[in-house]
Amino acid sequence: MIVPDELALADAWEDTLTGDRSFYRSPDGDPYRHFATDIAGSEEIVPRVQELLAIAADCPGGPLTVIDLGSGAGGLLTRLANAGTDARLIGIDLRSRPPGLDPGIEWITGDARQAASDLRGIRGVVVAHEFLDDIPCEAVEADEDGRPRRILVDPISLELILGELLDDPADLAWLKEWWPVTRPFMRAEIGSSRDDAWAAITGMLDAGAAVAIDYGHTRAERVAGTWDGGTLVGYRDGRVVTPVADGSCNLTAHVAIDSVAAAAPRAQSTSIARWSAAPGRADFVSIVQTFT
Ligand SMILES: C[S@@+](CC[C@H](N)C(=O)[O-])C[C@H]1O[C@@H](n2cnc3c(N)ncnc32)[C@H](O)[C@@H]1O
């Protein structure tokens, strides 16, 4: 019998995001069935976007635009439209255009990472609310000597298993800089795929601001061991479940928010803060970067 090889975590995770096992594209994948953190419940977000749009409006450029990445049901854009926001409103999501969405709101169905790479010269605000945590990444667990081993996926059960020692130079360098693996049995997620996504997202902007709001952490917390258990979990029906890469749950891991910020060296200002009034009282971190 031929035993198939273990799968790389990021590949198996990607399959549950955009591939054959996509959680969000499945009939069961309406995010609002599974999460209580709908952006439509956020008190701060609309005034914040309007404030940032006003900054963009002072810059020369094309039409003022708001792009919502991983727009879900389009709740943010609907609220902006209802508030009379004078800007192009564009939602991007793996899921189809929500039925009944204001016809003035534009919609792109597809992978927002690709769309962000394709769109350029935007003047306005791009928002990623609970988007980056969904981007597949690799993860490690230290052995008893503190050496990081790759977390892999069993090709049959699609459960997480422990694999060989990590030897990829880029992954090792990312860990060294952002999440040093120093203690036996600690876990860490490697955030370079989120950094790449943020570089593409902020690369859209000629002038304006990029906002990400997500479950996140900073280097000081990681070094202190606050997140030594790792943050990779499955989510389903409002509950944390064992992460299995079979598409039955949303796979998510917190975002290394400072590493993401460093992926946009063009930013003129960067602000990282707790997002105090998050929907569902989620413990979110925000990053706001401006570009002119
Ligand atoms: C947790 S929901 C958040 C929805 C919305 N931003 C909110 O906060 O209410 C995540 C959304 O991001 C979408 N999504 C995740 N990864 C995506 C990707 N790579 N491209 C486009 N949409 C994506 C999912 O389909 C889902 O609608």
Side-chain angles (χ1 to χ4, degrees), residues 94-266:
L94 293 169
R95 293 171 59 80
S96 310
R97 182 183 179 90
L101 191 68
D102 182 322
I105 297 173
E106 298 167 51
W107 192 264
I108 298 170
T109 302
D111 189 336
R113 291 166 295 184
Q114 186 56 50
S117 304
D118 295 342
L119 288 166
R120 281 291 172 269
I122 300 293
R123 181 175 66 121
V125 180
V126 294
V127 179
H129 186 271
E130 270 212 272
F131 169 75
L132 293 172
D133 67 311
D134 279 343
I135 292 184
C137 63
E138 298 292 348
V140 295
E141 181 177 307
D143 64 14
E144 62 274 20
D145 299 317
R147 295 172 307 173
R149 305 191 81 91
R150 269 151 65 78
I151 293 177
L152 299 172
V153 171
D154 181 283
I156 310 288
S157 69
L158 299 172
E159 289 170 4
L160 306 189
I161 52 175
L162 206 53
E164 73 272 17
L165 283 177
L166 181 73
D167 60 1
D168 181 87
D171 286 346
L172 286 165
W174 190 94
L175 286 172
K176 190 171 172 205
E177 182 168 7
W178 295 107
W179 198 335
V181 175
T182 52
R183 291 172 283 272
F185 308 117
M186 68 173 279
R187 286 189 168 202
E189 290 99 27
I190 301 168
S192 39
S193 53
R194 283 86 184 276
D195 301 349
D196 293 346
W198 191 246
I201 290 166
T202 54
M204 286 192 281
L205 281 169
D206 267 2
V211 182
I213 300 158
D214 227 310
Y215 297 101
H217 41 54
T218 58
R219 191 177 193 281
E221 296 167 351
R222 295 187 294 269
V223 169
T226 311
W227 303 99
D228 267 10
T231 68
L232 174 60
V233 293
Y235 225 84
R236 188 183 168 80
D237 295 329
R239 276 198 297 277
V240 171
V241 297
T242 303
V244 181
D246 61 359
S248 66
C249 59
N250 167 239
L251 294 178
T252 163
H254 288 28
V255 178
I257 209 89
D258 39 8
S259 151
V260 161
R266 249 186 353 106

Side-chain angles (χ1 to χ4, degrees), residues 17 24 31-32 35 37-39 70-72 93-95 110-113 129-131 134:
L17 186 69
Y24 285 123
Y32 305 103
F35 314 110
T37 47
D38 183 349
I39 197 169
S71 194
D93 203 283
L94 293 169
R95 293 171 59 80
D111 189 336
R113 291 166 295 184
H129 186 271
E130 270 212 272
F131 169 75
D134 279 343

